[in-house]
Amino acid sequence: MMIIENLNFAYNSRNVLKNITFRVDSGDMFFILGPNGSGKTTLLKCISGVLKSSGNVWICGKELRNLSRIEIARKVAYVPQRVEICNLSVFDAILLGRRPYIRWGVGEEDIEIVKRIIRTFELDEFAFRSLTELSGGELQKVMIARAMAQEPNILLLDEPTNNLDLRNQIEVMNRVRRVVKEKGISAIITMHDLNIASIYADRIVMVKDGEIVDEGGVEVLTPRSIKEVYGVDVEVSNHNGVPVILPRFRSEEPINIK
Amino acid sequence: MNYHEFLKRKYRFGLFILLSLIAFILISISIGSYHLPFHEILAGNPVIMNIRLPRIITAILVGASLAVSGAVMQCVLRNYLASPFTLGISQGAAFGAAFAIIYLGVGIMHRTGEGITILNPYIISLFAFFGSLISVFVILLLSKLRTLSPESMILAGVAMASLFQASTMLMQYFAENEVLIASVVFWTFGDVGRTVWMEISIIFVAFVFSLIYFFYRRIDYNTLLSGDEVALSLGVDVKRIRLEGMLVSSFLTSVCVSFTGIIGFVGLVAPHVVRIIIGGDYRFLILISTLVGALLLLLADTIGRMIISPVVIPVGIVTAFIGAPTFIYLLMRGEVR
C-alpha cells in the first residue's frame, strides 16, 4: 500500500508536479494517464526515490524519506521507459534485481529466486542469451522480471507497453496483473493507450500539467475528462463492461483536435 | 544448461588465460640477450633476479592495473572508449615528468654504453603522479560543477590530453639543452624495464587495494550498465560509485604511469577482448581483464625484447603497434559501440 500526500517537484524552478495526492491499495493496478509532458514519468521517479521531492510518501506505513536507498529498493521496483541494453545475459540482468539483498556475493537463494521468476515469465529459452539479442517484447519482459526479483511491494512501470505489438502488450500486461493479484502488491503504471488502461485498471488518475484532474475507477474515462486532459473529442462506448475509447471522426473530416 | 554450467564457461576462460600467463612467464624468463641454461634460471641467477624478473613482474602488474582501470572507467563513464590513455591521465603524467626533468633538473640522464639511465627516478615519478592527478581532478571538477554527463567526461579527457601534450611540447621547445629533451622523450616511452623492487612493491600495493575495491563493487558496476535510473532504483549510490571508481582507477593508473611512462591501448583493448568472449558481467570482467591485461603487456614486452635483439624496444611502442590495429579490428567487427 502506498499513500502520496502533497507531493511537489520543481525542475529548474518550474513546477512539474503540484500537490499530488493519492492512495494505492495492495493488489491494485493503478494507472496514471495524461499527455506527454504532464509529469507522469517525473511522478514515478519521485515515488521510486530516483528524484527527491517535497511532500509525503508512505510505503507500507513507512515514510519514504526515513528509508535508506537499500530499504526503498527492497520495497519499490522501477522499470523506466527507456531500457539500456547491455551485454549481460538475461539471467544476470534479472539477478541484478537481487542487488538490494546482496551483501558480499550472490547466494544460492538469489539464484533460486531468479530461476523461479524466469520460469513464471517463460523466459527459459532466453535465459543465457545476451540482452543485445532480444526483441523489444522479450526485453520488456526481462526488465519486469528484474523488477520482480526485487520482491517489491510496489511495482512502478513507465509506459511498459511502448514499442510492443498487440500480442506482446497483452502478454506483458497479463503477466503484470497476475503477479499483482497473486502477490498482493501494487502496480503503478503510466500509459498512453487508454484502451489497454481501461482493460487492466483498478484505479486511474488523470494528470495534466503536473496536477491531478480526475481520479477513480475506469468510469473516470469519460468524453469530458479525456477532452479536458488530451484536448481530443472521443466517444466512449461500453464493451462487456469495459469502456472503449475511440476518437470521434466523420469519414470526410479529420479528427477534431483542439 | 543451468546457471552454474553457464558460469563455468567463464571460469574456464579465466583459467585458460591464467595458465597462458604462467606459461608465458616461463617463456619470457628464459628469453634474453644473455643466454642462460634452465637450471641457472631456477637457481636464481642475478640476471634473472635483477633484470628479467623485475621486468616481467612489472609488465604483469602494470598490464593488470591498466586493464582493470580501463574496465572500470568504461563502466562508470558508460563509454567503451574510456581508458587511462584516452582520458588524458597518461599525458598528464608525461607533462609532470617533463616538468620535473626540464625545470627541476632532477632527472638529468647520462648515456652509458647500453642506453640511458635515470638518475633520480623518484622525483620524476612524484611529479608524473601529480600531473596525472591534474587530469583526473579537472575531469571530476567539471563533472561536479557542470554536472557533465559521463559521455561528455570522456570528451573533456580528450581535451585535457591534447592540452597536456601541447604543454609538454612547449616545455621541450624552450628546453635549454637536447639532453633534457631526450630525457623527456625517453621517459614518455612506456617501458617496464626501469623499475626496481621497491617501485614494484609500490605498484603491487596500489594494485591489490584497488582490485579489492573494484571487486567489492562488481555488482554495482553491473547495475550501472542498465542505466543510472535502474541503478538508483536498485539502491546504488550512483554518484558515489562513479566518483570513487574514477578516483581509484585514476590513482592506480597514475602510480603505474609514474614508474613506467605512457603505455597505451592495454587499458582499452583488454576489457573489450574479455567482453567479446565472456560478455559484460563485471563479476568476471574485473578479474579476467587483469589477467588478459597482464598477458597482453607481457606478450608485448617479450616481442619488444626479441624482435631486434639485443636492442630492446620500449613496450609502449609495441602496445601501440599491436593495440591500434586490434582496436580498429574490434571497431570494424562492431564489437565496440
Side-chain angles (χ1 to χ4, degrees):
Chain A
M1 194 187 73
M2 176 171 235
I3 298 169
I4 291 165
E5 217 177 60
N6 290 326
L7 188 139
N8 285 284
F9 181 80
Y11 187 74
N12 288 340
S13 73
R14 190 172 65 90
N15 289 330
V16 183
L17 297 174
K18 293 162 227 166
N19 284 323
I20 301 284
T21 300
F22 61 80
R23 169 201 170 99
V24 185
D25 287 320
S26 303
D28 263 5
M29 297 279 279
F30 190 96
F31 278 72
I32 302 172
L33 306 178
N36 289 326
S38 57
K40 304 185 297 295
T41 297
T42 311
L43 180 55
L44 287 193
K45 286 183 186 172
C46 290
I47 301 171
S48 66
V50 169
L51 292 176
K52 295 268 170 278
S53 55
S54 68
N56 303 315
V57 178
W58 281 279
I59 302 163
C60 313
K62 293 208 172 108
E63 244 197 299
L64 185 73
R65 75 183 79 201
N66 296 334
L67 297 174
S68 71
R69 280 170 199 281
I70 300 283
E71 285 170 322
I72 296 173
R74 287 178 185 176
K75 291 190 189 306
V76 184
Y78 171 53
V79 179
Q81 213 178 106
R82 230 188 73 210
V83 178
E84 301 261 348
I85 303 165
C86 57
N87 191 0
L88 281 179
S89 72
V90 168
F91 196 107
D92 291 319
I94 297 172
L95 189 62
L96 287 182
R98 301 303 299 161
R99 163 64 179 68
Y101 302 91
I102 290 171
R103 294 209 67 84
W104 171 250
V106 175
E108 275 307 310
E109 195 202 334
D110 300 310
I111 291 173
E112 284 308 315
I113 288 170
V114 173
K115 274 186 193 163
R116 211 174 54 226
I117 288 169
I118 284 181
R119 265 198 305 277
T120 36
F121 277 75
E122 289 164 21
L123 287 164
D124 302 78
E125 65 170 305
F126 308 108
F128 303 111
R129 248 186 246 175
S130 166
L131 294 186
T132 52
E133 296 166 28
L134 301 187
S135 72
E138 290 152 3
L139 205 58
Q140 191 59 268
K141 265 193 267 178
V142 172
M143 293 303 130
I144 295 171
R146 192 257 305 143
M148 290 317 300
Q150 273 174 266
E151 302 188 313
N153 301 96
I154 317 278
L155 182 60
L156 307 175
L157 304 176
D158 197 359
E159 296 180 19
T161 54
N162 261 15
N163 304 320
L164 299 188
D165 63 34
L166 186 61
R167 189 198 159 86
N168 272 309
Q169 288 183 22
I170 292 167
E171 213 183 308
V172 164
M173 290 312 294
N174 277 350
R175 211 164 294 277
V176 171
R177 183 159 71 179
R178 202 175 307 147
V179 259
V180 165
K181 301 297 174 194
E182 276 172 12
K183 307 237 173 212
I185 65 175
S186 326
I188 304 179
I189 302 162
T190 69
M191 193 165 279
H192 285 305
D193 190 326
L194 301 179
N195 288 313
I196 293 276
S198 74
I199 295 171
Y200 290 95
D202 295 307
R203 302 281 298 172
I204 291 173
V205 287
M206 299 188 76
V207 188
K208 190 191 179 188
D209 298 329
E211 283 176 289
I212 292 180
V213 177
D214 218 337
E215 189 191 344
V218 284
E219 71 280 356
V220 299
L221 292 172
T222 59
R224 197 187 55 77
S225 70
I226 292 170
K227 172 90 176 169
E228 189 187 345
V229 172
Y230 293 95
V232 178
D233 287 315
V234 296
E235 276 170 23
V236 178
S237 52
N238 191 303
H239 185 78
N240 296 336
V242 175
V244 176
I245 295 113
L246 199 65
R248 189 177 293 162
F249 67 99
R250 266 174 262 138
S251 55
E252 71 273 17
E253 221 176 76
I255 300 167
N256 183 18
I257 296 171
K258 206 176 97 184
Chain B
M1 186 165 62
N2 70 32
Y3 190 55
H4 291 285
E5 280 172 45
F6 172 70
L7 294 185
K8 230 179 248 169
R9 288 195 309 196
K10 303 182 189 220
Y11 284 118
R12 238 178 266 144
F13 175 67
L15 191 68
F16 169 72
I17 298 290
L18 182 68
L19 292 176
S20 314
L21 181 62
I22 292 169
F24 220 79
I25 291 171
L26 296 176
I27 294 170
S28 184
I29 212 163
S30 50
I31 287 173
S33 45
Y34 183 75
H35 181 74
L36 280 171
F38 200 69
H39 63 88
E40 282 209 40
I41 293 173
L42 292 179
N45 185 291
V47 173
I48 299 295
M49 293 311 288
N50 299 330
I51 297 172
R52 284 189 206 164
L53 205 54
R55 188 177 188 106
I56 287 167
I57 292 177
T58 307
I60 290 170
L61 280 176
V62 171
S65 300
L66 293 176
V68 76
S69 299
V72 170
M73 286 170 176
Q74 285 165 14
C75 172
V76 296
L77 295 182
R78 273 212 316 256
N79 193 319
Y80 285 171
L81 292 177
S83 77
F85 189 68
T86 41
L87 280 171
I89 295 166
S90 306
Q91 290 82 350
F95 168 78
F99 183 85
I101 291 168
I102 292 173
Y103 291 111
L104 304 179
V106 292
I108 296 175
M109 301 166 176
H110 64 89
R111 286 178 184 279
T112 63
E114 284 145 12
I116 307 173
T117 319
I118 302 171
L119 288 181
N120 194 340
Y122 282 101
I123 307 261
I124 299 182
S125 298
L126 197 66
F127 272 80
F129 183 61
F130 288 148
S132 56
L133 287 186
I134 297 175
S135 263
V136 175
F137 280 114
V138 169
I139 296 168
L140 291 177
L141 198 70
L142 281 174
S143 70
K144 263 264 185 280
L145 287 180
R146 288 251 141 246
T147 51
L148 226 57
S149 69
E151 290 84 354
S152 324
M153 271 163 91
I154 189 155
L155 294 177
V158 171
M160 289 301 292
S162 39
L163 186 67
F164 275 125
Q165 265 169 349
S167 312
T168 309
M169 280 195 278
L170 190 72
M171 283 195 290
Q172 285 174 316
Y173 188 75
F174 287 112
E176 276 164 22
N177 63 59
E178 60 273 22
V179 177
L180 291 177
I181 300 171
S183 307
V184 173
V185 173
F186 173 75
W187 189 91
T188 46
F189 292 152
D191 187 4
V192 290
R194 54 180 184 234
T195 44
V196 294
W197 286 111
M198 178 62 200
E199 296 165 357
I200 290 172
S201 37
I202 295 174
I203 299 175
F204 178 75
V205 171
F207 170 70
V208 168
F209 277 105
S210 308
L211 190 64
I212 291 171
Y213 170 77
F214 293 147
F215 193 68
Y216 175 65
R217 290 292 185 203
R218 64 202 185 284
I219 296 170
D220 292 346
Y221 293 143
N222 275 350
T223 66
L224 279 184
L225 297 178
S226 323
D228 284 9
E229 285 169 3
V230 170
L232 279 167
S233 74
L234 288 169
V236 175
D237 190 343
V238 171
K239 271 189 186 162
R240 190 179 140 190
I241 301 290
R242 181 162 284 141
L243 185 73
E244 284 178 359
M246 276 306 288
L247 272 180
V248 177
S249 57
S250 311
F251 171 75
L252 181 60
T253 307
S254 306
V255 171
C256 292
V257 173
S258 59
F259 292 124
T260 59
I262 298 180
I263 297 170
F265 285 104
V266 176
L268 196 61
V269 170
H272 283 300
V273 171
V274 181
R275 225 175 252 128
I276 289 167
I277 297 172
I278 62 153
D281 185 349
Y282 269 76
R283 289 178 298 159
F284 294 90
L285 195 66
I286 286 179
L287 290 182
I288 299 179
S289 287
T290 62
L291 292 175
V292 169
L295 184 63
L296 278 180
L297 200 59
L298 186 61
L299 186 75
D301 188 49
T302 312
I303 292 173
R305 281 163 58 199
M306 281 169 58
I307 199 157
I308 44 171
S309 175
V311 176
V312 175
I313 299 175
V315 71
I317 296 173
V318 182
T319 56
F321 269 108
I322 302 173
T326 311
F327 195 69
I328 291 169
Y329 170 71
L330 295 178
L331 277 172
M332 306 261 281
R333 271 192 51 176
E335 304 285 359
V336 182
R337 277 181 293 260

